[in-house]
Amino acid sequence: MKQRSVVSWTAMIMAYTRAEHYDQAIDLFLDMEEEGVKIDEFVITSVLHACACKGSSKDGQCIHEYALKNGMISNTSVANALMDMYAKCGNMEEARSVFHSTLNKNIISWNTLIGGYSKNGFPNDALHLFGNIPQRIRPNAITMACLLPAVASLSCLERGREIHAYVIRAGFVRNHQVENALVDMYVKCGALILARVLFDRIYEKNLVTWTVMIAGYGMHGYGADAIALFKQMRRKGIKPDKVSFVAILYACSHSGLIHEGWYFFNMMRNEYQIEPNLEHYACMVDLLSRAGRLKKAYEFINSMPIEPDSTVWGALLCGCRVYRDVNLAEKVAEKIFKLEPDNTGYYVLLANIYTEAEKWEEVKRLRERIGSRRLKKNPGCSWIETRGKVQVFVSGDNSHPQKEEIKKFVEDVMKRMKEEEQYVPNARYALMINADDRVKEEALCGHSEKLAIAFGILNSAYGRPIHVTKNLRICGDCHEFAKFVSKVTGREIVLRDSNRFHKFEEGRCSCRGYW
DNA sequence: TTAGGGTTAG
């Protein structure tokens, strides 16, 4: 072009961004500045979008400064693009600060911050913000698509149903993204049947619709249903992508379907020419490890064409725990500690492996190592929704108004378990070394998931299922506890941990040992 | 007069 206007530059920056060449998009902005082209708000938002997609706020901060200096920040679109950039880079503090200093907030401003909170692990803030949208600003379908993942991550079914009702009243039901987000919300709130009803009613199912449902079956341990749906999807001519393959591989590993897992892994590569990414590899390692084929899993990792990360090695470490392979666990853990020296979860996992093997010296050394890095264990936390209110329990928490009642319930159950099932308190799950068994048992009684289950039984009508959510994986002792409680109270207990759903019914768990 | 922008589901 002989003459390039600011519009030509903007179009080019957008094109580079769409093609995922973020650095080139940003370079183009620098070039145009150098050439003395007059910069306007449109270019700023475009280049901010490139920074957002790139995911590092360093470039974005420079643009932020530029916008401030040139008085562009009062433009709502520029402010929105800034918020989105910070949110996508995981910097919610900056996003919030921009939001609060924006005078003319429109619905996009609210959506951007709500979505940012949802995606960055602040679901309560997302819900709170939604409640504060002023009357004159009308939420739209996108608002719901931003908000529903927050409900899903909290696993608050009542709240989710309220929002579903709102979606119906406001007339957003025919929106694809909203429909899919609703199905996903029901799946993650443990209401698999409701999710399926909604799924069946969706007239035009797209790839995301199918993937949500397949992942849902996987999470709940229905591997065969996940496979049936995957096949049905292919018959309808919908081409699976890398995310749907993660869903199906995940479903196979959580149901112990080894052969099927390999079948889909090969299908992905041969039939669809999709190169496996870290998530796919982690699923395969998980599949092998759960089946006890630890050596094969180790070899598999070493043969990967891409560098394995901590999640891949972590899947093997979990397997080492199940099959009590201390030697391999040590080797694997060292690799993980190099990759992620500050993630306490893996130290705890290795400590548990040592404890279960009664290697007390090693436990002590590991504790010292954790201490010297000034790392703190991420506290276990469970929550339960009753009558629309969420009750949160933190491990060992003693502040609950019903604490005596809850404590008595847990102790009574443990006592009955000892008498009726020859249950031995799994003191190995209480991560303390210089304590006697009594103290350990007491610590076990205080686990957050036991408290939440007890609270649920005590505060809901007979026959009602109990839904509990936990931030970490459920502990083995609590798993036994939940089975027993489901038997003696005749209640169904649905527990979502950080990994999957466990449905306890009449003394059995739906996971059948596949955690 | 027209061209270029910011929010959305797995």
Side-chain angles (χ1 to χ4, degrees), chain A residues 5-22:
Chain A
S5 71
V6 59
V7 179
S8 337
W9 288 90
T10 314
M12 212 53 217
I13 289 173
M14 288 302 297
Y16 272 124
T17 308
R18 282 189 200 119
E20 300 176 24
H21 296 301
Y22 310 123

Side-chain angles (χ1 to χ4, degrees), chain A residues 254-499:
Chain A
H254 282 84
S255 294
L257 303 168
I258 293 209
H259 297 298
E260 291 82 349
W262 280 112
Y263 170 76
F264 289 115
F265 187 70
N266 292 328
M267 175 196 283
M268 172 173 86
R269 295 204 295 185
N270 304 331
E271 198 174 320
Y272 294 97
Q273 279 82 45
I274 297 173
E275 266 312 301
N277 62 24
L278 287 169
E279 278 189 277
H280 301 113
Y281 282 114
C283 284
M284 296 315 286
V285 172
D286 193 62
L287 196 66
L288 288 166
S289 313
R290 275 172 213 281
R293 302 175 68 178
L294 302 180
K295 197 162 164 263
K296 180 101 198 272
Y298 187 78
E299 287 164 4
F300 179 75
I301 297 176
N302 283 323
S303 74
M304 280 169 53
I306 50 175
E307 205 52 46
D309 71 348
S310 57
T311 60
V312 175
W313 287 113
L316 179 53
L317 191 59
C318 281
C320 291
R321 179 178 181 182
V322 176
Y323 292 95
R324 311 204 162 199
D325 190 332
V326 181
N327 287 334
L328 186 59
E330 278 179 332
K331 208 151 101 183
V332 171
E334 284 313 320
K335 293 195 188 278
I336 297 177
F337 297 156
K338 270 210 193 88
L339 291 164
E340 254 194 80
D342 292 333
N343 189 327
T344 46
Y346 295 114
Y347 291 94
V348 173
L349 190 52
L350 184 62
N352 279 326
I353 294 171
Y354 281 142
T355 311
E356 285 165 10
E358 301 184 350
K359 293 195 179 264
W360 310 116
E361 268 309 303
E362 278 82 353
V363 178
K364 205 173 143 201
R365 245 186 291 147
L366 197 61
R367 299 225 115 210
E368 283 162 8
R369 209 165 146 190
I370 298 174
S372 74
R373 295 199 72 91
R374 297 218 182 91
L375 299 175
K376 273 192 85 180
K377 185 179 171 288
N378 191 9
C381 153
S382 302
W383 60 96
I384 179 167
E385 188 188 39
T386 44
R387 296 180 202 109
K389 251 195 93 183
V390 177
Q391 299 274 337
V392 184
F393 295 89
V394 182
S395 182
D397 184 12
N398 254 327
S399 61
H400 198 274
Q402 276 177 279
K403 64 173 187 223
E404 290 305 326
E405 222 185 318
I406 291 170
K407 191 172 170 222
K408 188 169 177 311
F409 180 92
V410 174
E411 283 173 358
D412 284 352
V413 170
M414 305 271 268
K415 197 166 152 242
R416 276 189 68 181
M417 283 170 76
K418 281 185 202 162
E419 288 163 7
E420 295 169 30
E421 310 247 294
Q422 291 87 45
Y423 154 81
V424 183
N426 261 321
R428 36 173 227 258
Y429 291 110
L431 246 195
M432 312 161 130
I433 38 167
N434 301 317
D436 65 26
D437 281 354
R438 243 201 101 61
V439 177
K440 286 182 190 172
E441 202 180 320
E442 260 177 44
L444 275 177
C445 287
H447 275 192
S448 65
E449 54 270 53
K450 287 198 184 81
L451 303 177
I453 291 170
F455 175 85
I457 300 275
L458 292 167
N459 291 281
S460 61
Y462 178 76
R464 296 273 294 183
I466 308 283
H467 282 253
V468 170
T469 313
K470 186 182 175 185
N471 64 339
L472 308 172
R473 284 198 193 192
I474 185 175
C475 112
D477 192 72
C478 293
H479 197 264
E480 288 304 309
F481 176 89
K483 277 193 205 167
F484 189 75
V485 172
S486 75
K487 190 168 83 180
V488 295
T489 62
R491 297 278 199 112
E492 180 185 306
I493 300 169
V494 180
L495 190 144
R496 188 184 106 186
D497 71 5
S498 60
N499 200 37

